[in-house]
Amino acid sequence: MDMVSESGQVEKYYQFAECLNDGGFVMDFEVYRGDVAGRLDGAGENWNSGRYPIGQRRKIDLGTLRFNGQPPEVGDSLQIFVRVVAGVDKRGPGFLYAPNGHTAVQRAAGTTLFYGIDLL
């Protein structure tokens, strides 16, 4: 499901989030929900990808997460938050939630201190 925003950009909706570790590090990630001011509302309770090395990926059904005890609602703004062992932590690009079977595939690539996260 895609929708055109007021700015004319196509907004993508996803049911799953997946992150490929394509960097020279070990990492884990969590999923955060944002609010209209761009602040993060908190991580999905009781879920973390667990640490994994380069060349591996982890995936989560976003509908199974709970934010303040509630599941995500259609249109909620979500982001992954990557933690790199002995490196820096970063937010990935935002995306919107909908139970539609689509996967937001993101890739973390670079080195422990200098890496980026792209939505593929």
Side-chain angles (χ1 to χ4, degrees):
M1 167 181 10
D2 297 340
M3 295 188 70
V4 178
S5 70
E6 290 180 16
S7 68
Q9 294 182 337
V10 174
E11 295 179 324
K12 301 281 186 177
Y13 289 76
Y14 301 97
Q15 178 177 349
F16 300 93
E18 179 175 81
C19 190
L20 166 64
N21 181 351
D22 204 16
F25 43 74
V26 173
M27 61 169 274
D28 66 74
F29 77 93
E30 294 179 347
V31 178
Y32 283 76
R33 183 174 65 184
D35 66 15
V36 293
R39 295 182 300 259
L40 295 179
D41 184 29
E45 297 161 15
N46 301 318
W47 188 84
N48 179 288
S49 67
R51 290 183 174 175
Y52 58 104
I54 187 171
Q56 292 188 13
R57 57 182 69 211
R58 298 289 186 271
K59 184 175 181 178
I60 179 71
D61 181 340
L62 300 164
T64 65
L65 297 176
R66 296 296 175 264
F67 300 94
N68 299 318
Q70 301 297 314
E73 295 180 8
V74 172
D76 276 354
S77 177
L78 303 173
Q79 284 183 300
I80 66 167
F81 186 77
V82 172
R83 290 187 176 89
V84 170
V85 175
V88 296
D89 302 337
K90 291 191 177 186
R91 292 186 202 183
F95 53 93
L96 302 173
Y97 172 74
N100 60 6
H102 296 229
T103 301
V105 179
Q106 298 189 41
R107 179 183 60 169
T111 62
T112 55
L113 301 177
F114 303 102
Y115 70 95
I117 305 167
D118 300 322
L119 181 61
L120 304 179

